[in-house]
Amino acid sequence: MRLFFAFCFALVTSFSLIVMPAGADEKVFSISAKIKDPVASDVRQTKYEDPLDAALKAAKVGEVVGGGNSVDAKGKIEWAGVDIEVNDLQAGLALIKEKLVSLGAPKGSTLEYKAGGKKVVVPVQ
């Protein structure tokens, strides 16, 4: 009987380690960058995603978690999108804005996130 309880305890403990990621109690904020630059996916990655990811990680503020492009009905790229997660919203926003400007993000580029349950859109410049 003790062996059965020990097995169940080990199983539950192992399962909680799989389900609960490290730092699960840490607050994460999702930010979407809409960059008014009609660049192809490979260019978006090298021009924006990789340098932004490196800067966020170096500052221990967050990371780039994805990206994509918006295309019109004819398949022409309209803008580039970069998905970001940060652990400090204000520090993350400041760093992202600064980095995107230095990388050449055009005027009209925006950052979108939720604060207090409401959608917030702020200009990069």
Side-chain angles (χ1 to χ4, degrees):
M1 187 70 137
R2 275 191 253 171
L3 183 59
F4 175 75
F5 287 118
F7 173 76
C8 289
F9 179 77
L11 183 63
V12 169
T13 304
S14 298
F15 181 72
S16 67
L17 291 174
I18 293 169
V19 174
M20 300 279 297
D25 58 337
E26 186 175 301
K27 183 75 172 159
V28 175
F29 302 91
S30 296
I31 302 171
S32 295
K34 181 178 179 181
I35 305 166
K36 294 288 195 164
D37 191 354
V39 294
S41 297
D42 57 334
V43 175
R44 179 195 69 241
Q45 183 173 356
T46 57
K47 183 175 182 181
Y48 297 110
E49 291 178 26
D50 293 344
L52 182 56
D53 188 54
L56 289 164
K57 286 178 178 175
K60 296 182 170 98
V61 176
E63 65 184 337
V64 170
V65 294
N69 292 337
S70 176
V71 296
D72 64 16
K74 295 179 183 177
K76 182 181 174 194
I77 298 172
E78 296 180 311
W79 51 267
V82 178
D83 299 320
I84 306 150
E85 289 184 347
V86 298
N87 53 36
D88 181 327
L89 184 59
Q90 296 310 312
L93 287 170
L95 178 62
I96 294 164
K97 286 180 181 184
E98 179 184 325
K99 192 65 179 175
L100 288 178
V101 168
S102 75
L103 294 171
K107 288 191 181 216
S109 299
T110 58
L111 300 177
E112 182 179 312
Y113 60 96
K114 286 194 176 183
K118 294 183 180 182
K119 178 179 163 182
V120 178
V121 179
V122 295
V124 169
Q125 307 187 41

